[in-house]
Amino acid sequence: MQSKLLPYNVLPIKDKFLLTTRYGGWILLDKEEYGLLLHHKYDSVAGKLEEAGILATPENLKKIVHDYKSINLNMFTGPSLHIVSVTSRCNFNCDYCHTSSPIAKGVDMTRDTAVRVLENVFKTPSKAVTIEFQGGECLLNWPTVQFIVQNARELNKIEQKDLHITAVTNLSLMTQEKMQFFLDNKVSICTSLDGPAEVHNKNRPYLGDKATYGDVTKRIHMIQEEASRRGLGVILGALPTITKHSLSYPKEIVDEYVKQKFYDIHLRPLNYLGIALMKWSEIGYTAEEFIAFWKQATEYIIGLNKKGIPLRERLLTIMLQKIISKQDPFYTELMSPCGAGRTQIAYEYDGSVYTCDEGRMLGEDLFKLGHVTTHSYTDMMSSDTQLAVVNASLLDNYNCKTCAYLPWCGTCPVINVSEQGNILPKIKLSMRHKIYFAQFSFLFEKMVEDPEVEAIFRRWISPEFTKLPLPTELTVSCNR
């Protein structure tokens, strides 16, 4: 085999040109180098192009194939994330809630349904399985949570999967006993913390509008202290959802995560679903408004890192894992086709099965795959619904195929339906597309502008990052 220049997409980034192949190879060339390439006089940069996977040779062909498989490992597994909504009840009244309803009877997962859910979970061919409890507020159906945890561990003695269990909870009902059960059974915990008290309480009050910040942060400290005492490392995560109210507090939200001793903050935009959709004029914003907020907050995070404070923006870290580490972080939306139904499935409290968590939130059965009592695993995975989601989320169906960010990006059919009323969207008009494009561009612009920032980004994707020392004080002494 002779050397061959692979088809590539190109995008100007500051004074450089970003070249990428659909296999995940990429390189930044200066104007002179790019000019030589255009005129097929690239001998002087052939070594760089070969190392980057833009130029295929007998020496690097196996690496190009290996990197493509590594970035797209999701194509070769089965559903690894199984989201189990054990109840639709909740004791919070969040401004942007997608699924919750006030405390009521008749909306909890029964033990019989839980048994059928577990049977389905362990039918996946994936060697790794994560069971994630959702709701509503999952702790309102504590007996079923305990039942699933205990029985999943027992079943796995036979199945021998790489089993992880996590609980997504608002923490308000977390007691010492529940915490001890989770830690004893290696259940990690994720909560929502929307920022300092004035932001969190506005976005996430109790039913009746009582403030929740104090209760949530008290339990954050309780879990962190017990995990530290046991030497467990990081077992608690949190994320904020950004509303219109949040947009005025980019630094304060970041400061709160440093104060609460987190290593990660996922600055998550609103989903155009449920109550958020109905209240969009009150809590929503444009893609451009979110991007401005996100850039300001992320610039501040980078500044903290330059001062020795370890905090990373989670979605940017996920992108960096794909771009630099050539690893698949299994983030459902950043896949083509998207991971809904392929890497993730969601179980409603009544046993209904959906392609993903967003699919069960839509309020209709468009993304329903079946039911654990009436449909087999094989039938659901090969259903017309599953095939439609795969087809609709292939970026090659859109003019994305000429985009430099094609090897790392994706789209969400559920959000597309909610925003545009069609599973096949005008993708350039999609809010999520605009946000992703801006975030990818920010990443490369920062690496071009500042070698120190590139070094920070590389630290973010190091497994040693969460072992870096956190500030000893619970306040941030940084210039605003």
Side-chain angles (χ1 to χ4, degrees):
M1 171 190 169
Q2 296 179 340
S3 62
K4 180 179 180 180
L5 194 66
L6 296 175
Y8 62 85
N9 294 331
V10 62
L11 183 71
I13 301 287
K14 298 294 183 179
D15 60 345
K16 304 283 187 180
F17 291 87
L18 172 66
L19 279 62
T20 71
T21 73
R22 68 180 303 111
Y23 309 107
W26 65 276
I27 194 170
L28 287 160
L29 298 178
D30 62 30
K31 186 176 181 180
E32 181 181 353
E33 291 170 329
Y34 182 54
L36 290 171
L37 182 63
L38 287 178
H39 291 89
H40 303 283
K41 298 177 180 179
Y42 52 82
D43 288 352
S44 62
V45 293
K48 291 171 62 175
L49 294 172
E50 181 181 355
E51 183 180 356
I54 307 294
L55 185 68
T57 69
E59 290 73 28
N60 75 349
L61 186 58
K62 285 185 178 180
K63 184 178 186 302
I64 290 172
V65 173
H66 175 271
D67 288 349
Y68 175 75
K69 287 183 176 179
S70 295
I71 293 170
N72 297 283
L73 190 59
N74 64 84
M75 301 292 289
F76 310 101
T77 64
S80 55
L81 175 59
H82 296 258
I83 295 175
V84 183
S85 174
V86 293
T87 182
S88 66
R89 296 184 292 147
C90 191
N91 57 340
F92 274 33
N93 187 29
C94 301
D95 274 353
Y96 47 77
C97 179
H98 302 144
T99 62
S100 300
S101 61
I103 292 176
K105 293 182 178 179
V107 287
D108 287 351
M109 180 175 287
T110 65
R111 183 166 295 193
D112 288 344
T113 301
V115 169
R116 301 303 292 270
V117 167
L118 281 172
E119 290 174 357
N120 203 72
V121 166
F122 282 99
K123 286 177 181 174
T124 178
S126 176
K127 295 178 181 178
V129 169
T130 296
I131 297 172
E132 179 180 294
F133 294 111
Q134 288 268 11
E137 168 48 45
C138 68
L139 298 187
L140 281 167
N141 191 4
W142 180 244
T144 298
V145 170
Q146 286 181 296
F147 177 82
I148 290 175
V149 170
Q150 291 166 336
N151 282 270
R153 294 293 182 201
E154 284 299 311
L155 281 169
N156 201 46
K157 291 177 181 178
I158 300 171
E159 300 292 343
Q160 295 293 296
K161 302 282 189 181
D162 180 14
L163 177 62
H164 300 268
I165 306 177
T166 186
V168 178
T169 166
N170 63 35
L171 288 185
S172 63
L173 302 173
M174 183 67 72
T175 62
Q176 281 282 344
E177 292 73 22
K178 291 183 175 72
M179 177 188 68
Q180 299 295 346
F181 175 84
F182 278 154
L183 300 190
D184 290 345
N185 287 276
K186 299 180 181 179
V187 178
S188 60
I189 303 165
C190 182
T191 193
S192 290
L193 179 65
D194 278 10
E198 61 267 33
V199 180
H200 183 90
N201 288 334
K202 173 69 170 63
N203 289 349
R204 299 181 59 80
Y206 281 112
L207 289 172
D209 292 331
K210 179 185 173 184
T212 61
Y213 173 86
D215 290 342
V216 171
T217 54
K218 177 182 176 182
R219 288 164 176 82
I220 286 173
H221 301 159
M222 177 182 76
I223 296 166
Q224 288 174 333
E225 289 169 5
E226 179 63 13
S228 176
R229 188 186 70 80
R230 295 188 182 205
L232 296 178
V234 179
I235 55 91
L236 173 68
L239 71 165
T241 299
I242 307 305
T243 66
K244 182 182 290 186
H245 178 67
S246 310
L247 296 179
S248 300
Y249 301 89
K251 293 181 179 180
E252 291 82 357
I253 292 170
V254 171
D255 283 351
E256 184 67 27
Y257 273 68
V258 177
K259 176 182 176 182
Q260 302 301 338
K261 296 185 177 294
F262 288 110
Y263 284 99
D264 290 279
I265 179 170
H266 188 158
L267 299 165
R268 185 175 64 165
L270 285 171
N271 281 327
Y272 196 66
L273 294 168
I275 291 175
L277 188 157
M278 293 185 286
K279 298 178 67 175
W280 196 259
S281 61
E282 178 185 341
I283 66 172
Y285 38 69
T286 65
E288 292 72 20
E289 287 172 321
F290 176 81
I291 291 163
F293 162 88
W294 183 88
K295 285 183 176 180
Q296 188 176 353
T298 305
E299 290 274 17
Y300 185 58
I301 292 168
I302 291 170
L304 293 177
N305 279 261
K306 288 182 176 181
K307 296 176 181 181
I309 298 174
L311 182 70
R312 56 192 176 185
E313 205 287 322
R314 182 170 175 264
L315 188 63
L316 206 56
T317 305
I318 288 168
M319 291 175 169
L320 288 163
Q321 286 177 311
K322 300 187 79 171
I323 294 166
I324 294 178
S325 298
K326 307 292 187 183
Q327 293 177 349
D328 189 346
F330 280 75
Y331 188 73
T332 302
E333 285 187 31
L334 292 181
M335 298 176 183
S336 175
C338 99
R342 296 189 311 105
T343 66
Q344 173 190 151
I345 50 180
Y347 305 85
E348 188 60 286
Y349 64 88
D350 64 355
S352 298
V353 184
Y354 293 84
T355 56
C356 56
D357 205 30
E358 288 77 13
R360 76 177 180 90
M361 296 174 182
L362 192 62
E364 54 185 282
D365 287 344
L366 187 61
F367 294 90
K368 184 175 178 179
L369 297 174
H371 194 280
V372 291
T373 60
T374 55
H375 295 79
S376 72
Y377 173 86
T378 301
D379 287 345
M380 289 189 284
M381 292 299 99
S382 59
S383 66
D384 289 344
T385 298
Q386 180 59 65
L387 296 175
V389 169
V390 168
N391 184 60
S393 58
L394 276 167
L395 293 183
D396 294 81
N397 290 332
Y398 309 100
N399 51 9
C400 297
K401 60 187 175 183
T402 62
C403 178
Y405 305 137
L406 172 66
W408 311 300
C409 202
T411 188
C412 176
V414 179
I415 299 300
N416 293 336
V417 167
S418 187
E419 281 187 2
Q420 299 186 25
N422 198 322
I423 198 171
L424 297 170
K426 296 177 180 178
I427 205 161
K428 291 284 181 83
L429 300 181
S430 158
M431 180 176 176
R432 202 58 60 92
H433 166 84
K434 294 176 182 178
I435 291 172
Y436 285 159
F437 189 89
Q439 290 171 325
F440 278 116
S441 296
F442 178 92
L443 182 159
F444 281 104
E445 287 169 4
K446 287 299 164 189
M447 291 201 295
V448 167
E449 288 175 344
D450 190 344
E452 185 181 0
V453 174
E454 181 177 353
I456 288 169
F457 285 169
R458 290 183 182 275
R459 282 200 296 274
W460 285 7
I461 53 178
S462 165
E464 302 301 312
F465 185 81
T466 55
K467 297 178 183 177
L468 294 172
L470 290 163
T472 56
E473 298 294 326
L474 288 180
T475 56
V476 182
S477 56
C478 299
N479 296 326
R480 294 192 173 278

